[in-house]
Amino acid sequence: TSIPTAPALTAIDPVTGAAIALDPSQGPMHVVFIATWCRPCMEQMTKLTDLEDRWKPDGYRLFLVAVETRQTPDRLRELLAQGPLPGRLLFDSKGAVAAAFGAATIPAEVLVDRSGRIVARAGALDAEFKQAVERLVRQEGRAKP
């Protein structure tokens, strides 16, 4: 399955209110659908930070997309105020991003290659999904100088 190519797919930056494009052509994208009230979502932040620390230099990009259910930009700003989060936190105010990615549950992990194809999806950040991230980043990430 392919997602619509950018700039068709955007989510809102809860701090600035700007629409941010989720553009797969800029490199491997790991999109995690979360909610502030979802305990498993919040419990995986340390693992996501580890993953980002490991692969960001190679072009890995992490987006935390907060679903619209019982969420507001205010709640997301409060979450950001509690301390640094991995990746970029965005608000899916209309549910369009979750619909495009077929994210029916949270948390939902989706890995997208440069051509916009979904190469892996999971309901949790398990070993298999981490291996998929590693494979994709090695294939499509930035070449080391």
Side-chain angles (χ1 to χ4, degrees):
T1 3
S2 287
I3 59 162
T5 49
L9 217 48
T10 60
I12 305 301
D13 181 313
V15 178
T16 64
I20 305 299
L22 288 123
D23 183 357
S25 69
Q26 292 178 8
M29 278 192 337
H30 177 186
V31 183
V32 187
F33 292 90
I34 63 157
T36 53
W37 45 262
C38 161
R39 186 167 290 138
C41 299
M42 296 297 113
E43 285 171 351
Q44 69 173 353
M45 291 304 159
T46 311
K47 288 184 192 166
L48 288 168
T49 299
D50 293 345
L51 206 56
E52 185 178 49
D53 289 348
R54 171 72 184 88
W55 297 111
K56 191 174 184 176
D58 299 312
Y60 166 84
R61 296 179 309 136
L62 174 64
F63 294 95
L64 303 175
V65 178
V67 296
E68 59 184 329
T69 321
R70 302 200 314 265
Q71 298 276 129
T72 62
D74 282 344
R75 284 183 81 162
L76 297 175
R77 285 191 291 271
E78 284 167 22
L79 177 64
L80 286 168
Q82 290 168 17
L85 288 173
R88 175 127 197 216
L89 179 66
L90 299 173
F91 182 41
D92 188 12
S93 58
K94 296 186 176 72
V97 179
F101 282 87
T105 59
I106 54 167
E109 316 279 334
V110 182
L111 191 60
V112 182
D113 70 11
R114 281 183 185 269
S115 60
R117 281 180 317 130
I118 293 173
V119 293
R121 61 169 70 237
L125 189 57
D126 56 16
E128 199 176 320
F129 193 88
K130 287 181 187 173
Q131 287 169 342
V133 168
E134 181 176 345
R135 270 196 310 274
L136 183 64
V137 171
R138 288 186 189 282
Q139 285 165 359
E140 297 197 343
R142 279 199 288 280
K144 290 193 178 60

